Amino acid sequence: MRPPSANWFKEIEQSRDRVYNEETNGAFSIYPWLAPALHPKLRSLIERWGVEKELNAREPVLGQVNDKVDQLVLVRSGITARIFGSIYRQASPAMAFSVPGRLACGNLNFFSHRPCIGSYVAVVPSVVVCVPQSLVLRMCRSDADFALLVASEFEKIALSDRLGFGLLALLDIENRFLAFLLSWAVTFGHLEMQGDEGWVRMPLPLRGDALRAVLNCSSATLDRCLTALKQKGDYIVEGDVARVKLERLKPIHRWIRNCEETTDAPPRVSLTNLFERIA
């Protein structure tokens, strides 16, 4: 993926779900492929005790692509990938991603210390903060409430990944792309009205090989999907900014929410209300 502008990097550091979670005690819904925003307490701990590291695009997060995962790694800027497989050995690895304020890795084997499955690399030039798992684990052993918070945060990431694999198995390419746009839009988008029609404006999402890996499709299939949406007037790209019709996202939002248990904890919020709540 070609690195976008400096302004794009600044925009993806300001996420809607981080603000929403801080106002609602973590009530933001789970979406596919994009790791949920980390709780402020755990995020500040990693930032305070961790070591910062700069990564070039396609550079392994941990030094070597197959290094043992024994760190909790927070993304400070840029985007990193969580890959089932290897971009160096497989033509079509499955990928999810992490943006600023999310974990790049370290959650999957935190308690068991078992070997992780896959690899972790930077998608664009990125900055991460690394802290030993053992240090955070010691805090968990001495503070039961903190241990429950950590387990809850890691559970949310697992739920997001599970949802992503489910969508790959059940949906066609157009709906998979709309699900990806939904995840990106609810994280970074802002509602704009053009007459009576709502549009979501957001920094340009992943594209090219990175997007193809997320959606698990060929380049030709992805090109046809993007062309069809643009020709219908549902998706517009202008430089480092993208816009999508809000109405185009509502059906896939309902589909994803209907995959969940019927419960009001946390309370369900309509897509329109979600954008209106955090302006």
Side-chain angles (χ1 to χ4, degrees):
M1 175 178 168
R2 177 182 59 82
S5 67
N7 186 61
W8 181 89
F9 280 94
K10 290 179 181 178
E11 284 201 59
I12 67 166
E13 291 180 8
Q14 308 300 321
S15 65
R16 168 185 302 278
D17 56 338
R18 182 189 296 187
V19 176
Y20 190 99
N21 276 334
E22 289 173 359
E23 291 188 357
T24 62
N25 194 29
F28 198 83
S29 295
I30 301 296
Y31 291 92
W33 299 307
L34 197 161
L38 208 56
H39 191 282
K41 185 174 182 178
L42 183 53
R43 187 175 71 238
S44 63
L45 183 151
I46 296 172
E47 290 175 335
R48 186 169 67 251
W49 290 349
V51 176
E52 188 173 282
K53 179 165 67 170
E54 295 185 4
L55 302 171
N56 296 317
R58 296 177 67 86
E59 185 176 349
V61 168
L62 295 171
Q64 298 294 325
V65 73
N66 58 350
D67 273 2
K68 176 180 174 61
V69 179
D70 59 3
Q71 307 276 316
L72 282 181
V73 182
L74 175 75
V75 180
R76 175 163 282 174
S77 69
I79 300 177
T80 65
R82 310 189 307 280
I83 301 170
F84 186 83
S86 170
I87 60 171
Y88 304 101
R89 301 189 186 96
Q90 293 175 245
S92 300
M95 187 180 103
F97 59 102
S98 300
V99 298
R102 276 79 169 166
L103 284 181
C105 65
N107 58 289
L108 194 62
N109 69 339
F110 180 80
F111 292 103
S112 70
H113 305 299
R114 296 181 64 86
C116 284
I117 301 170
S119 53
Y120 307 90
V121 300
V123 178
V124 297
S126 303
V127 177
V128 298
V129 183
C130 310
V131 67
Q133 289 177 332
S134 57
L135 190 153
V136 182
L137 191 58
R138 284 201 297 273
M139 284 194 63
C140 290
R141 289 183 174 130
S142 63
D143 185 337
D145 288 338
F146 180 72
L148 288 173
L149 182 149
V150 169
S152 175
E153 293 300 293
F154 295 172
E155 190 176 85
K156 291 175 186 177
I157 301 173
L159 286 169
S160 175
D161 288 344
R162 182 181 178 90
L163 181 55
F165 280 117
L167 296 185
L168 291 178
L170 297 173
L171 297 181
D172 59 27
I173 179 59
E174 181 176 291
N175 280 301
R176 296 204 300 271
F177 178 62
L178 289 171
F180 165 77
L181 278 185
L182 174 67
S183 293
W184 191 269
V186 298
T187 303
F188 300 115
H190 297 275
L191 186 61
E192 296 180 344
M193 298 303 297
Q194 297 182 11
D196 295 332
E197 194 169 54
W199 286 78
V200 182
R201 181 195 182 279
M202 53 195 169
L204 185 66
L206 294 178
R207 57 197 186 281
D209 289 342
L211 179 54
R212 183 182 59 78
V214 171
L215 301 180
N216 193 25
C217 66
S218 68
S219 297
T221 300
L222 179 57
D223 287 344
R224 286 195 298 270
C225 176
L226 287 170
T227 298
L229 286 170
K230 289 176 181 178
Q231 287 178 344
K232 293 174 185 175
D234 294 335
Y235 183 58
I236 299 171
V237 174
E238 297 171 339
D240 283 344
V241 174
R243 291 179 174 83
V244 61
K245 284 183 180 177
L246 181 62
E247 288 299 318
R248 206 68 173 83
L249 297 177
K250 287 182 178 180
I252 190 64
H253 184 263
R254 286 193 296 269
W255 192 94
I256 289 174
R257 297 284 71 87
N258 287 337
C259 290
E260 298 174 329
E261 299 173 10
T262 303
T263 176
D264 289 327
R268 297 191 177 198
V269 179
S270 74
L271 191 55
T272 300
N273 288 342
L274 177 62
F275 283 109
E276 290 175 343
R277 179 162 185 165
I278 305 294

